[in-house]
Amino acid sequence: MTRLTDNDVKSISDTLGELEKFLLEKTGRTIKKVACEAVGMWEYAIDTKEYTVAVVPVTSGLGVISNFSESVRDVCKWLGMDAYVTETTDVTGLAEAITKQPDIIMMADDYEFIAYNLKMKKYADNSMCTAKGYIAALDGACDSVIKKEVLVVGAGRVGSRAAKLLLARGAKVTITDVDVEKAYAVQKDNPAAKVAEDVAEAIRNADLIINASPAHIDTENIREGAIISSPGVPHTFDEAAYAKAKTIIHDPLVIGTAVMVMQAAYFSYLGCRK
Ligand code: 2YC
């Protein structure tokens, strides 16, 4: 899984308004609406003001990413929740959070990033939620993926989940990966998916793309008017790519985080209905 850098994260909090404006323009949906669509919940089912989120910085592995926890906190606040970053980190930070009895605790090491709902004892993870969020954004941008051909570039944790979710949503899915074995492994798990062995050719033929790969996509391979929903990090699309495609949707952390925390909150709503 690609790890964010300090540079990827440094301006997230200050550009949430910009991202929201872009998403509204291109998908007709706010960050919150994208997250609710991703989770499959009515936007007003829960009052986000009732939810408290503790974000715990984790120093394991390659360590803390500066502004990562603060960005996660600010996404939760953007959604209307009461969110804070614990003073301490790791297990001490977890104990600090638990003592204050928040509804949700969020934390990430180098492999997993989760949003844990304490009351429901269930967590939402970043890979699944990123896949759901970028499908919801694509769905808004192309006025529904149902019955449409969607190319998933990258058969990793996000791409494999995106393929399954898109099929469940009624899209026609082709999966491609520079490691063709990984693409066939996704097809094995999702027989309705087609495999494209030539990545560049698949991209040249695609109008709708979920780009869940860290690899660069050459602008010459992008179809005029293509809609690319692109959680992939690093994000290497240049001006020419943005000019050629109709829409390229990307952010390094916000959409995945928004879906995670809405999903975690939704666990409470689902759990308490009789
Ligand atoms: O600051 C901290 O607490 C660090 N332990 C956070 C490490 C996050 C590592 N994961 C990633 O960079 C990416 C994110 C987009 C979410 C999933 N992987």
Short mmCIF file of all heavy atoms in Angstrom, two decimals, residues 1-5 56-60 63-66 68-69 108-113 126 157 233 252-253, ligand 1:
data_model
loop_
_atom_site.label_atom_id
_atom_site.label_comp_id
_atom_site.label_asym_id
_atom_site.label_seq_id
_atom_site.Cartn_x
_atom_site.Cartn_y
_atom_site.Cartn_z
N MET A 1 0.85 -1.18 0.00
CA MET A 1 0.00 0.00 0.00
C MET A 1 0.89 1.24 0.00
O MET A 1 1.90 1.27 0.70
CB MET A 1 -0.86 -0.01 1.26
CG MET A 1 -1.63 1.26 1.52
SD MET A 1 -2.38 1.20 3.13
CE MET A 1 -0.92 1.21 4.17
N THR A 2 0.52 2.22 -0.78
CA THR A 2 1.36 3.42 -0.85
C THR A 2 1.17 4.26 0.41
O THR A 2 0.06 4.44 0.88
CB THR A 2 0.93 4.27 -2.06
OG1 THR A 2 0.83 3.40 -3.18
CG2 THR A 2 1.95 5.35 -2.33
N ARG A 3 2.29 4.73 0.93
CA ARG A 3 2.23 5.53 2.16
C ARG A 3 2.31 7.01 1.82
O ARG A 3 3.08 7.42 0.96
CB ARG A 3 3.43 5.15 3.04
CG ARG A 3 3.46 5.91 4.33
CD ARG A 3 4.73 5.60 5.10
NE ARG A 3 5.04 6.68 5.99
CZ ARG A 3 4.74 6.68 7.29
NH1 ARG A 3 4.13 5.62 7.79
NH2 ARG A 3 5.04 7.68 8.06
N LEU A 4 1.43 7.80 2.44
CA LEU A 4 1.44 9.24 2.20
C LEU A 4 2.71 9.86 2.75
O LEU A 4 3.33 9.33 3.67
CB LEU A 4 0.23 9.88 2.90
CG LEU A 4 -1.14 9.50 2.35
CD1 LEU A 4 -2.23 10.09 3.22
CD2 LEU A 4 -1.29 9.94 0.93
N THR A 5 3.08 10.99 2.16
CA THR A 5 4.23 11.74 2.67
C THR A 5 3.72 13.00 3.40
O THR A 5 2.56 13.38 3.22
CB THR A 5 5.12 12.21 1.51
OG1 THR A 5 4.33 13.15 0.73
CG2 THR A 5 5.53 11.04 0.62
N VAL A 56 -5.90 9.00 17.08
CA VAL A 56 -4.69 8.66 17.85
C VAL A 56 -3.49 8.54 16.92
O VAL A 56 -3.46 7.66 16.06
CB VAL A 56 -4.89 7.33 18.60
CG1 VAL A 56 -3.65 7.00 19.45
CG2 VAL A 56 -6.15 7.36 19.47
N PRO A 57 -2.49 9.42 17.05
CA PRO A 57 -1.29 9.29 16.23
C PRO A 57 -0.53 8.00 16.59
O PRO A 57 -0.52 7.60 17.76
CB PRO A 57 -0.45 10.52 16.60
CG PRO A 57 -1.42 11.46 17.27
CD PRO A 57 -2.43 10.59 17.94
N VAL A 58 0.05 7.36 15.60
CA VAL A 58 0.75 6.08 15.81
C VAL A 58 2.18 6.24 15.30
O VAL A 58 2.40 6.66 14.15
CB VAL A 58 0.04 4.94 15.05
CG1 VAL A 58 0.85 3.65 15.11
CG2 VAL A 58 -1.37 4.73 15.64
N THR A 59 3.16 5.90 16.15
CA THR A 59 4.57 6.15 15.79
C THR A 59 5.24 4.90 15.23
O THR A 59 6.43 4.94 14.91
CB THR A 59 5.36 6.60 17.04
OG1 THR A 59 5.34 5.51 17.99
CG2 THR A 59 4.73 7.84 17.67
N SER A 60 4.52 3.78 15.13
CA SER A 60 5.17 2.52 14.69
C SER A 60 5.68 2.64 13.25
O SER A 60 5.33 3.59 12.53
CB SER A 60 4.15 1.37 14.76
OG SER A 60 3.15 1.58 13.76
N GLY A 63 6.65 5.73 11.30
CA GLY A 63 6.39 6.86 12.20
C GLY A 63 5.21 7.72 11.81
O GLY A 63 4.47 7.42 10.88
N VAL A 64 5.05 8.79 12.57
CA VAL A 64 3.95 9.73 12.36
C VAL A 64 4.16 10.51 11.07
O VAL A 64 5.30 10.86 10.73
CB VAL A 64 3.89 10.70 13.58
CG1 VAL A 64 3.09 11.94 13.28
CG2 VAL A 64 3.31 9.96 14.79
N ILE A 65 3.08 10.74 10.35
CA ILE A 65 3.11 11.64 9.17
C ILE A 65 2.60 12.99 9.67
O ILE A 65 1.48 13.06 10.20
CB ILE A 65 2.22 11.12 8.04
CG1 ILE A 65 2.70 9.75 7.56
CG2 ILE A 65 2.16 12.11 6.88
CD1 ILE A 65 1.77 9.08 6.55
N SER A 66 3.40 14.04 9.55
CA SER A 66 2.97 15.31 10.13
C SER A 66 1.67 15.75 9.45
O SER A 66 1.49 15.59 8.26
CB SER A 66 4.05 16.38 9.97
OG SER A 66 4.39 16.51 8.62
N PHE A 68 -1.11 14.28 9.52
CA PHE A 68 -2.03 13.19 9.15
C PHE A 68 -3.21 13.17 10.13
O PHE A 68 -4.37 13.27 9.72
CB PHE A 68 -1.30 11.85 9.16
CG PHE A 68 -2.19 10.66 8.86
CD1 PHE A 68 -2.44 10.28 7.55
CD2 PHE A 68 -2.80 9.94 9.89
CE1 PHE A 68 -3.27 9.21 7.26
CE2 PHE A 68 -3.64 8.87 9.61
CZ PHE A 68 -3.87 8.49 8.29
N SER A 69 -2.90 13.08 11.43
CA SER A 69 -3.99 13.00 12.43
C SER A 69 -4.83 14.27 12.43
O SER A 69 -6.07 14.22 12.54
CB SER A 69 -3.41 12.76 13.83
OG SER A 69 -2.80 11.49 13.86
N ALA A 108 -3.96 4.89 12.47
CA ALA A 108 -3.35 4.22 11.31
C ALA A 108 -1.89 3.90 11.57
O ALA A 108 -1.13 4.76 12.03
CB ALA A 108 -3.44 5.13 10.09
N ASP A 109 -1.53 2.64 11.28
CA ASP A 109 -0.10 2.32 11.21
C ASP A 109 0.25 2.26 9.72
O ASP A 109 -0.49 2.76 8.87
CB ASP A 109 0.24 1.04 11.99
CG ASP A 109 -0.46 -0.19 11.44
OD1 ASP A 109 -0.94 -0.15 10.27
OD2 ASP A 109 -0.55 -1.19 12.17
N ASP A 110 1.35 1.62 9.38
CA ASP A 110 1.76 1.63 7.97
C ASP A 110 0.96 0.67 7.11
O ASP A 110 1.14 0.63 5.89
CB ASP A 110 3.26 1.29 7.87
CG ASP A 110 4.11 2.43 8.42
OD1 ASP A 110 3.55 3.54 8.61
OD2 ASP A 110 5.30 2.21 8.68
N TYR A 111 0.09 -0.12 7.74
CA TYR A 111 -0.65 -1.14 6.95
C TYR A 111 -2.16 -0.97 7.03
O TYR A 111 -2.87 -1.25 6.09
CB TYR A 111 -0.26 -2.55 7.43
CG TYR A 111 1.24 -2.72 7.43
CD1 TYR A 111 1.98 -2.54 8.59
CD2 TYR A 111 1.92 -2.94 6.23
CE1 TYR A 111 3.36 -2.63 8.58
CE2 TYR A 111 3.31 -3.03 6.21
CZ TYR A 111 4.02 -2.86 7.39
OH TYR A 111 5.39 -2.92 7.37
N GLU A 112 -2.65 -0.55 8.21
CA GLU A 112 -4.11 -0.41 8.35
C GLU A 112 -4.46 0.97 8.86
O GLU A 112 -3.69 1.57 9.65
CB GLU A 112 -4.65 -1.44 9.36
CG GLU A 112 -4.70 -2.87 8.84
CD GLU A 112 -5.66 -3.07 7.66
OE1 GLU A 112 -6.52 -2.17 7.42
OE2 GLU A 112 -5.54 -4.07 6.97
N PHE A 113 -5.58 1.47 8.41
CA PHE A 113 -6.12 2.74 8.92
C PHE A 113 -7.59 2.43 9.19
O PHE A 113 -8.32 2.02 8.28
CB PHE A 113 -5.94 3.80 7.83
CG PHE A 113 -6.59 5.12 8.12
CD1 PHE A 113 -6.90 5.54 9.42
CD2 PHE A 113 -6.89 5.99 7.07
CE1 PHE A 113 -7.48 6.77 9.67
CE2 PHE A 113 -7.47 7.25 7.30
CZ PHE A 113 -7.76 7.62 8.60
N ASN A 126 -9.78 1.62 5.76
CA ASN A 126 -9.53 2.61 4.71
C ASN A 126 -9.63 2.04 3.31
O ASN A 126 -10.13 2.70 2.40
CB ASN A 126 -8.14 3.23 4.91
CG ASN A 126 -7.86 4.29 3.87
OD1 ASN A 126 -7.19 4.01 2.88
ND2 ASN A 126 -8.39 5.48 4.07
N ARG A 157 -5.37 -3.68 -2.89
CA ARG A 157 -6.43 -3.72 -1.88
C ARG A 157 -7.61 -2.83 -2.25
O ARG A 157 -8.77 -3.21 -2.06
CB ARG A 157 -5.87 -3.31 -0.51
CG ARG A 157 -4.85 -4.29 0.02
CD ARG A 157 -4.69 -4.20 1.52
NE ARG A 157 -4.27 -2.89 1.99
CZ ARG A 157 -4.05 -2.65 3.29
NH1 ARG A 157 -4.24 -3.59 4.18
NH2 ARG A 157 -3.67 -1.47 3.68
N VAL A 233 -2.19 6.84 -5.19
CA VAL A 233 -1.13 7.73 -4.68
C VAL A 233 0.19 7.08 -5.07
O VAL A 233 0.33 5.88 -4.90
CB VAL A 233 -1.22 7.83 -3.13
CG1 VAL A 233 0.00 8.55 -2.57
CG2 VAL A 233 -2.50 8.54 -2.72
N PRO A 252 -5.69 12.85 -1.57
CA PRO A 252 -4.84 11.82 -0.98
C PRO A 252 -5.42 11.13 0.24
O PRO A 252 -4.94 10.09 0.66
CB PRO A 252 -3.56 12.59 -0.62
CG PRO A 252 -3.99 14.00 -0.47
CD PRO A 252 -5.16 14.20 -1.37
N LEU A 253 -6.47 11.71 0.86
CA LEU A 253 -6.90 11.16 2.16
C LEU A 253 -8.36 11.42 2.52
O LEU A 253 -9.00 10.64 3.21
CB LEU A 253 -6.01 11.79 3.26
CG LEU A 253 -6.17 11.31 4.69
CD1 LEU A 253 -5.90 9.82 4.82
CD2 LEU A 253 -5.24 12.12 5.61
O1 2YC B 1 0.67 9.75 11.62
C1 2YC B 1 0.41 8.56 11.89
O2 2YC B 1 -0.28 8.20 12.88
C2 2YC B 1 0.93 7.51 10.94
N1 2YC B 1 1.11 6.23 11.66
C3 2YC B 1 -0.06 7.35 9.79
C4 2YC B 1 0.45 6.34 8.76
C5 2YC B 1 -0.55 6.21 7.60
C6 2YC B 1 0.00 5.22 6.58
N2 2YC B 1 -0.99 5.00 5.54
C7 2YC B 1 -1.03 5.79 4.44
O3 2YC B 1 -0.24 6.67 4.22
C8 2YC B 1 -2.16 5.54 3.47
C9 2YC B 1 -3.30 6.48 3.75
C10 2YC B 1 -3.87 7.02 2.48
C11 2YC B 1 -4.35 5.63 4.35
C12 2YC B 1 -3.97 4.30 3.98
N3 2YC B 1 -2.75 4.28 3.55
#
